[in-house]
Amino acid sequence: MHQNHGVERRTAIVTGASSGIGAAYADRLARRGFDLVLVARRADRLEALAKEIASSLGRQVRVVAADLACESDLRRIEGIVEATSDLSLIANVAGTGALGPATSINPSAVEAMLKVNVIALTRLSLAASRRFTAVGAGTIINIGSIVAVMAVPGAGAYSGSKAYVFDFSRALQAEAEGHGVTVQVVMPGPVYSEFFGEAPPPFPAGLFMSADMLVDTALAGLDRGETVTFPTLHDSDRWDAFEAARKQLVHGLLQTGLPAQRYASQSAIME
């Protein structure tokens, strides 16, 4: 690791860093003393952000233009995760929506979304987890969504991808416990960003949070030791109740390998 006036340097990788939540993470992590590797498709925006952070905060910033839906680009970013000697945090922010009814949405758009939201996030998390577990320290931040706990018509694939991020991140955290590695999944509601493009957002304005406020809240949750952060959940007892109900359901599912009694007559017919 290289040093700066006796202070150990730390590097964070942020994907989706060219705008919105990713750009906010880049700024806040730089303010926390991290050097940065910024990843996104739009090199011009990355360069502008890097120049601003380097000049105002004095951090070292590397820009990597990459499309995480592209296999070769994803492998390149995996290589950076593996080769960055002072890497201590990765924020998997990159994501797309591919919203629309199942009867009319373009399947290619859905596939591209899954490559970014699921495949890229998974592979980069696994690469980081291997690195961090080996050295006994490191943080992985994955961006989920409140739609992970609700099936949303017109956003089936997107909500499904975020349900994956939610479960994958929690399982990864369970594995990382005891190895000095933290995995946080952030579950925002609507955020002011370029996510909806030119289309009118399907939520009232009062439900939206700014990207800066979201990231500040998520990092506060990280500082509190939260592995799951719902930034807009004011009553944390509701999360506790959700977890308790989930555990009760799991307990009920694992009592026996026999069909439930309500299916008994149908089972008899089938036999």
Side-chain angles (χ1 to χ4, degrees):
M1 297 184 182
H2 55 286
Q3 305 289 321
N4 183 20
H5 302 299
V7 177
E8 185 176 282
R9 301 191 75 96
R10 301 175 300 160
T11 294
I13 294 175
V14 181
T15 70
S18 60
S19 66
I21 298 171
Y25 263 109
D27 176 81
R28 297 316 195 257
L29 292 172
R31 293 177 186 278
R32 288 181 172 225
F34 286 89
D35 292 331
L36 301 172
V37 178
L38 304 182
V39 180
R41 290 176 297 174
R42 295 172 291 192
D44 56 339
R45 290 200 180 188
L46 289 178
E47 293 286 359
L49 179 60
K51 183 177 180 180
E52 177 184 345
I53 289 174
S55 63
S56 63
L57 300 174
R59 307 314 309 174
Q60 294 184 10
V61 185
R62 177 183 176 187
V63 165
V64 183
D67 180 355
L68 294 179
C70 172
E71 174 65 22
S72 60
D73 280 6
L74 176 55
R75 284 201 307 268
R76 188 155 49 93
I77 304 307
E78 282 179 309
I80 292 172
V81 172
E82 294 163 357
T84 304
S85 61
D86 57 0
L87 181 68
S88 59
L89 184 148
I90 183 168
N92 287 304
V93 181
T96 60
L99 306 179
T103 53
S104 60
I105 194 168
N106 184 337
S108 295
V110 173
E111 182 178 357
M113 177 202 70
L114 294 175
K115 286 179 177 177
V116 177
N117 292 15
V118 173
I119 301 300
L121 177 141
T122 299
R123 284 174 50 177
L124 295 180
S125 293
L126 292 176
S129 182
R130 290 191 295 269
R131 279 288 311 277
F132 295 159
T133 299
V135 299
T139 300
I140 300 169
I141 300 172
N142 290 333
I143 305 299
S145 168
I146 59 170
V147 301
V149 294
M150 60 182 85
V152 181
Y158 177 72
S159 58
S161 75
K162 293 303 185 178
Y164 173 90
V165 171
F166 181 60
D167 279 344
F168 169 73
S169 300
R170 299 197 71 198
L172 198 62
Q173 173 60 40
E175 293 181 23
E177 285 179 350
H179 295 283
V181 181
T182 297
V183 182
Q184 181 197 34
V185 60
V186 180
M187 307 289 283
V191 177
Y192 287 115
S193 68
E194 300 175 0
F195 182 82
F196 296 106
E198 299 298 323
F203 302 102
L207 293 182
F208 278 77
M209 180 179 286
S210 72
D212 285 341
M213 184 178 292
L214 168 67
V215 172
D216 287 339
T217 306
L219 288 173
L222 184 67
D223 292 342
R224 288 170 54 89
E226 292 181 356
T227 57
V228 179
T229 297
F230 286 89
T232 57
L233 182 63
H234 291 259
D235 183 0
S236 61
D237 287 345
R238 297 194 179 191
W239 167 248
D240 295 336
F242 179 92
E243 273 290 89
R246 183 188 63 79
K247 290 176 181 177
Q248 288 180 346
L249 175 61
V250 171
H251 180 72
L253 293 171
L254 298 176
Q255 295 304 297
T256 174
L258 298 174
Q261 184 61 39
R262 63 184 174 278
Y263 304 123
S265 58
Q266 183 64 30
S267 298
I269 293 172
M270 294 175 66
E271 292 175 358

